Amino acid sequence: MRHETDHFYLNKSEPNRSCLLALRSIILEQDENISETVKYGMPCFCFKKKMFCYLWVDKKTLAPYILMVEGKLIDHPLLVAGKRARMKTLSVDPNADLPVETIQEVLNLGLDLYRNGVVKVK
């Protein structure tokens, strides 16, 4: 069965397609309460229906990244706020092995905000 987000992934060329699909799997594996939908034309991952993170590709570098919705509340050296007030990004090199442990660490720092009630979920 095709998911509504499949179009986003299948439209990308390699190596970004494989990289984004791997990131998708890593995100979905972190917690049984994570679901995937589409918001603003990009894959959005929710924790108990509350926006948690997005996958996107940088317009200039064309590198995939994870956009952490509550990034301002996460202290991790690889998360970058840029000009964003609330969100931070974790960029990924699609031509290198994914830093799976680092990605999981950042995702779980974010998930803990929801699990521990810092970010209210219904």
Side-chain angles (χ1 to χ4, degrees), residues 13 47 54 57-58 71 87 112 117:
S13 57
F47 180 80
Y54 292 89
V57 176
D58 185 274
M87 302 184 187
D112 284 346

Side-chain angles (χ1 to χ4, degrees), residues 37-110:
T37 187
V38 175
K39 290 191 187 288
Y40 314 110
M42 58 183 148
C44 175
F45 299 87
C46 300
F47 180 80
K48 296 184 178 179
K49 301 187 178 177
K50 183 96 172 168
M51 290 183 298
F52 165 60
C53 69
Y54 292 89
L55 285 179
W56 198 239
V57 176
D58 185 274
K59 289 180 181 77
K60 292 178 187 164
T61 66
L62 301 179
Y65 63 85
I66 300 172
L67 181 66
M68 300 298 294
V69 172
E70 299 296 342
K72 72 171 190 240
L73 301 175
I74 304 169
D75 185 22
H76 191 281
L78 296 179
L79 280 177
V80 177
K83 296 179 181 174
R84 297 177 179 89
R86 178 180 177 197
M87 302 184 187
K88 288 184 182 176
T89 62
L90 176 66
S91 295
V92 179
D93 181 350
N95 296 302
D97 288 344
L98 288 177
V100 176
E101 287 181 9
T102 300
I103 293 166
Q104 290 172 332
E105 180 184 358
V106 168
L107 292 171
N108 278 292
L109 286 169

Side-chain angles (χ1 to χ4, degrees), residues 8-9 12 16-24 55 57 64:
F8 171 84
Y9 300 102
K12 302 294 180 248
N16 279 1
R17 178 187 303 160
S18 296
C19 181
L20 288 161
L21 286 168
L23 290 171
R24 174 196 210 182
L55 285 179
V57 176

